[in-house]
Amino acid sequence: MLIALAIAVVLLCIGGAVALLIHRGRRAAEHALAEAGELLRSSLENVSQGVAIFDRDLRLIAWNPRYLELRGLGAADVRARMRLEEILACAAPLKVRLPSGTVDSRGLHVSIAAERMPFDGEAVKPDGSVLRIRGRPMSNGHYVVTYADVTDLRQSEIAYREQAQYLSMLLDNLPDAIVTVDASGTIQSWSNGAERLFGYKSEEVLRRNVAMLLPESGLSLEEFVQRYLDMQSSIPRGVRREIEVLHKNGRRIPVDVGMSEMRIGQRRVFTLIVRDISERREIERLKSSFVSTVSHELRTPLTSISGSLGLLAGGVAGELPSKASRLIEIAKQNCERLIRLINDILDLEKAEAGRLAINLELQQVRPIVIHAIEMNRAYAQNFGVTIELDPESGDAPVLVDRDRFIQVLTNLLSNAAKFSPRGGTVRVRIASDPDAVSVAVHDDGPGIPAAFRPSVFQKFAQADSSDSRAKGGTGLGLSIAKTLMERLGGSIDFESSDGRGTTFRVSLPIRHAQTAARNAIA
Amino acid sequence: MRRGQLKSVLYVDDEPDIREVVEMSLGVVAGLEVRTCESGESALQMLETFKPDVILLDVMMPGMDGAATFQRLRATPGLEDIPVIFMTAKALPQEVARFRELGAIGVIAKPFDAMQLGNQVRAIWEGFGNA
């Protein structure tokens, strides 16, 4: 009996303990479930997407405010356990674009959601906003529908596409060829302009080396790219070069090539902008030929005129009456002026076309300046003007074409003499710093009028002056001087003030023998 | 090679006015014996009987131009040693270099100073080693 009682007590204790454990476990599970529910609710309320969850019978079991907002529903329109069809009856219908076609939102939910099929679609609401709608079955038989407002994304995509299309049209309509190559010279892109210029379709050149577009001799585009890559090159960014390229039919085409570098991620990409300059070359040739022919045709009669006038003025035909002598002198001077003008036009045309032969030699600048002064001394004396070299003038070695530099100095000295007052002095000074040497030619003339200063170096530029001495020039001298100085690697500038004369200054970089030799090798 | 003083010149140019000016310039001013003719062909004919100290040859002439006339002179026995100076209205540096390469002793640009032409010709002729 006691044993039975003891067993009963033990069983009761065990039963109580088990019941207590079960009770505690249930409470913990309920607590965890409540926490999970709270977490889900909180998450749903805070996501930017609209979410609605339906059970196996397509009854609404969870949703968030964003869902109501995106579907145009009020809080009172929706309640738990509401059937999907009832909700759709309240919401405005949408035309949903699916990969398979467009369907009505009501039909979509009924057919696809009922069959637990996943789907991805988009719909445009009457206000123009775009919804991305996705349906996904869950492993427990529930079904989740999400709504996202992708209006901004779609508009950005449209804007991007339009921009890309615009740029593509722009590139394709440019007369220039635009080609991109990678660091190994492999062609990456090929514009319509490139098709027109080279005659190749893009599929014929893409992923091939740019060397196929180049003739065998001359500075190749490949070398051009390589020199750029080597970083040893002195080619600055965005430099343009004139080279020849090959058309598909083998014809050589003179082109102007500009190059710039882009970095796309880790890749270096080079953009080549290639412009056909055949027409420009032909125009230059015609212009050059025209100028040369016209000059020759003008010189032939001028030879007779100037020769005859020279002989008359020299008394070969006998002594002339003083008035006739004066008239002959006027004709002779103007004939000489016309000859100078023709010579200047020819010089300028050649210099601008880059056909003026420049023979650079390492020379001291001072003897050249002295020679130019001596050459112009007699001319200056005609105006009662003397030319003096500043005794403090220095000297420096320069790499220069002696004859062309004398041509520049002659222009400056004769101008200075012409505009100096009678009895005046033209002062010449050579000054140097470690990098450059300059020759300044100063006159005590009236100065260049302020309004005329900006156009001093323009062709046929002459100040509107009543001073008859100004009329002896061609208006091309300073333009030629500037072009020549640029060809010599130097520069020209001036200072002038009303009534206090003018100083023209030409500068050349100083070149020592070693530098000159190194440049010659390079 | 010394030949004494410059005395005679043949001037070849298709422009009659220029021929006349040169004739006066070299004849009256410089005191030289001057003969002129209008083409390379006529020059070759004249040179059969007249052997000048120097020939002044215009470059641009119809028919046989200055360069072609020069080649004919060099290929003609008895005329091959007569010094030639080209006269040109297109005295471009590259053309001057070309004429010198051909064998001309000098190039004079047109228009020239008619009072100084004789001195110019003498200076070139003497520089060639004929003083």
Side-chain angles (χ1 to χ4, degrees):
Chain A
M1 184 67 188
L2 278 173
I3 292 170
L5 187 64
I7 291 170
V9 169
V10 168
L11 286 174
L12 279 172
C13 288
I14 292 170
V18 169
L20 185 63
L21 283 173
I22 290 170
H23 176 68
R24 283 185 178 170
R26 187 179 297 143
R27 284 190 62 187
E30 283 171 359
H31 183 69
L33 195 59
E35 271 190 354
E38 182 59 32
L39 188 64
L40 178 63
R41 206 164 21 255
S42 171
S43 299
L44 283 178
E45 283 176 5
N46 287 297
V47 293
S48 60
Q49 291 184 336
V51 181
I53 303 171
F54 298 89
D55 67 9
R56 291 167 187 274
D57 302 324
L58 291 183
R59 288 178 183 278
L60 185 63
I61 55 172
W63 68 97
N64 64 358
R66 185 69 172 147
Y67 168 71
L68 300 177
E69 185 187 338
L70 291 176
R71 287 301 278 118
L73 295 165
D77 295 333
V78 178
R79 63 184 184 283
R81 307 289 298 160
M82 197 173 177
R83 292 188 62 80
L84 175 58
E85 293 92 324
E86 294 177 84
I87 297 170
L88 292 174
C90 296
L94 295 171
K95 294 288 181 194
V96 182
R97 286 195 304 271
L98 297 174
S100 56
T102 302
V103 297
D104 184 87
S105 57
R106 292 172 181 170
L108 171 78
H109 287 305
V110 172
S111 61
I112 297 182
E115 291 170 20
R116 300 298 188 273
M117 296 286 289
F119 73 89
D120 275 281
E122 258 185 34
V124 180
K125 291 169 70 177
D127 63 0
S129 58
V130 183
L131 289 181
R132 183 176 183 193
I133 310 171
R134 302 177 73 176
R136 290 286 183 276
M138 297 171 73
S139 57
N140 61 359
H142 291 182
Y143 198 81
V144 182
V145 182
T146 58
Y147 292 80
D149 186 342
V150 292
T151 310
D152 290 346
L153 180 65
R154 291 293 171 264
Q155 282 177 347
S156 298
E157 285 174 357
I158 290 168
Y160 173 78
R161 265 201 305 275
E162 285 177 351
Q163 181 75 3
Q165 198 176 9
Y166 172 77
L167 285 175
S168 172
M169 281 172 58
L170 194 68
L171 290 182
D172 285 343
N173 284 298
L174 280 178
D176 294 348
I178 299 176
V179 181
T180 56
V181 298
D182 66 13
S184 66
T186 305
I187 298 169
Q188 305 287 313
S189 74
W190 189 254
S191 73
N192 279 4
E195 269 189 33
R196 286 191 297 269
L197 176 63
F198 292 94
Y200 289 104
K201 297 278 182 196
S202 60
E203 57 270 23
E204 296 175 284
V205 292
L206 289 179
R207 288 174 293 285
R208 293 184 64 187
N209 196 280
V210 72
M212 69 179 283
L213 306 172
L214 301 159
E216 287 170 10
S217 59
L219 173 66
S220 73
L221 202 55
E222 198 177 12
E223 287 169 334
F224 184 75
V225 172
Q226 198 53 51
R227 283 176 66 181
Y228 187 90
L229 292 175
D230 287 346
M231 304 305 284
Q232 301 296 324
S233 161
S234 58
I235 299 173
R237 280 167 189 265
V239 71
R240 298 197 73 86
R241 277 289 177 92
E242 289 187 9
I243 61 169
E244 281 192 332
V245 293
L246 276 182
H247 187 272
K248 186 180 178 182
N249 64 13
R251 182 169 53 92
R252 286 175 177 238
I253 308 168
V255 296
D256 173 299
V257 182
M259 187 167 79
S260 57
E261 181 183 350
M262 297 185 292
R263 278 193 180 271
I264 300 175
Q266 293 298 308
R267 285 191 308 134
R268 298 174 78 185
V269 177
F270 299 88
T271 305
L272 306 167
I273 300 174
V274 189
R275 178 173 301 170
D276 186 344
I277 55 169
S278 310
E279 202 173 323
R280 193 183 89 200
R281 284 275 174 87
E282 179 60 11
I283 290 169
E284 283 171 0
R285 193 190 63 75
L286 287 173
K287 178 188 156 200
S288 174
S289 166
F290 176 76
V291 170
S292 176
T293 304
V294 168
S295 299
H296 175 261
E297 294 307 318
L298 287 172
R299 278 175 195 231
T300 299
L302 273 173
T303 302
S304 303
I305 297 169
S306 75
S308 301
L309 292 171
L311 292 172
L312 275 173
V316 174
E319 194 174 336
L320 296 170
S322 64
K323 284 184 179 174
S325 180
R326 173 64 190 140
L327 291 172
I328 291 292
E329 190 57 34
I330 290 170
K332 187 168 170 283
Q333 282 175 2
N334 281 279
C335 190
E336 286 166 0
R337 183 178 163 195
L338 198 51
I339 292 166
R340 282 200 303 277
L341 179 61
I342 292 167
N343 290 342
D344 280 358
I345 289 173
L346 268 180
D347 269 355
L348 191 62
E349 192 277 325
K350 280 185 284 182
E352 286 183 342
R355 292 188 295 106
L356 200 66
I358 299 283
N359 302 310
L360 296 177
E361 286 178 15
L362 192 66
Q363 305 198 37
Q364 293 298 121
V365 76
R366 190 181 171 104
I368 302 176
V369 173
I370 290 172
H371 183 78
I373 290 173
E374 293 310 319
M375 275 178 64
N376 286 277
R377 208 178 281 292
Y379 179 81
Q381 280 167 358
N382 290 335
F383 298 100
V385 173
T386 55
I387 306 177
E388 282 182 4
L389 178 63
D390 187 323
E392 292 184 8
S393 287
D395 197 3
V398 287
L399 199 58
V400 73
D401 182 317
R402 188 174 189 273
D403 291 343
R404 295 302 175 194
F405 193 47
I406 287 175
Q407 190 178 351
V408 172
L409 293 174
T410 294
N411 187 276
L412 301 185
L413 291 167
S414 60
N415 267 355
K418 208 160 55 177
F419 288 99
S420 289
R422 183 159 282 277
T425 302
V426 171
R427 289 185 173 77
V428 182
R429 181 182 168 83
I430 305 168
S432 60
D433 61 31
D435 300 320
V437 61
S438 67
V439 181
V441 177
H442 175 78
D443 68 61
D444 293 321
I448 299 169
F452 180 65
R453 285 173 205 160
S455 48
V456 157
F457 293 111
Q458 286 178 10
K459 291 175 209 167
F460 297 108
Q462 281 183 316
D464 183 14
S465 168
S466 58
D467 189 337
S468 60
R469 289 174 299 183
K471 298 185 193 302
T474 63
L476 289 172
L478 286 172
S479 180
I480 293 172
K482 185 169 191 294
T483 308
L484 284 177
M485 285 311 297
E486 285 166 358
R487 290 291 314 277
L488 294 173
S491 62
I492 183 169
D493 58 19
F494 70 95
E495 295 159 18
S496 186
S497 54
D498 290 342
R500 295 174 61 186
T502 303
T503 302
F504 273 91
R505 186 176 287 103
V506 287
S507 299
L508 284 168
I510 291 178
R511 298 294 179 94
H512 296 286
Q514 287 173 333
T515 318
R518 198 163 53 240
N519 287 345
I521 292 164
Chain B
M1 191 195 305
R2 291 183 66 89
R3 296 183 185 176
Q5 279 194 323
L6 176 66
K7 289 178 183 162
S8 57
V9 175
L10 170 63
Y11 181 68
V12 188
D13 196 324
D14 60 309
E15 288 286 334
D17 291 345
I18 300 179
R19 286 204 302 273
E20 208 170 325
V21 168
V22 169
E23 207 163 358
M24 289 182 77
S25 170
L26 295 182
V28 179
V29 179
L32 300 171
E33 180 190 353
V34 186
R35 296 207 192 169
T36 65
C37 51
E38 77 285 358
S39 67
E41 290 87 348
S42 58
L44 288 166
Q45 271 188 345
M46 186 178 283
L47 286 165
E48 289 173 9
T49 55
F50 174 60
K51 296 288 186 291
D53 292 329
V54 65
I55 299 171
L56 302 188
L57 204 50
D58 181 37
V59 173
M60 292 185 72
M61 292 187 289
M64 193 159 66
D65 67 6
T69 305
F70 182 84
Q71 304 284 17
R72 287 282 299 276
L73 289 170
R74 286 292 168 266
T76 306
L79 305 180
E80 70 271 34
D81 290 332
I82 302 176
V84 171
I85 297 172
F86 278 107
M87 304 278 287
T88 177
K90 284 171 99 174
L92 302 174
Q94 59 267 37
E95 292 204 16
V96 171
R98 186 169 70 90
F99 298 143
R100 286 192 181 282
E101 276 173 24
L102 277 175
I105 63 168
V107 179
I108 294 175
K110 290 179 180 176
F112 47 80
D113 182 339
M115 294 302 288
Q116 293 297 322
L117 182 62
N119 290 339
Q120 261 185 291
V121 173
R122 262 198 192 97
I124 294 172
W125 194 74
E126 287 170 2
F128 178 58
N130 292 302

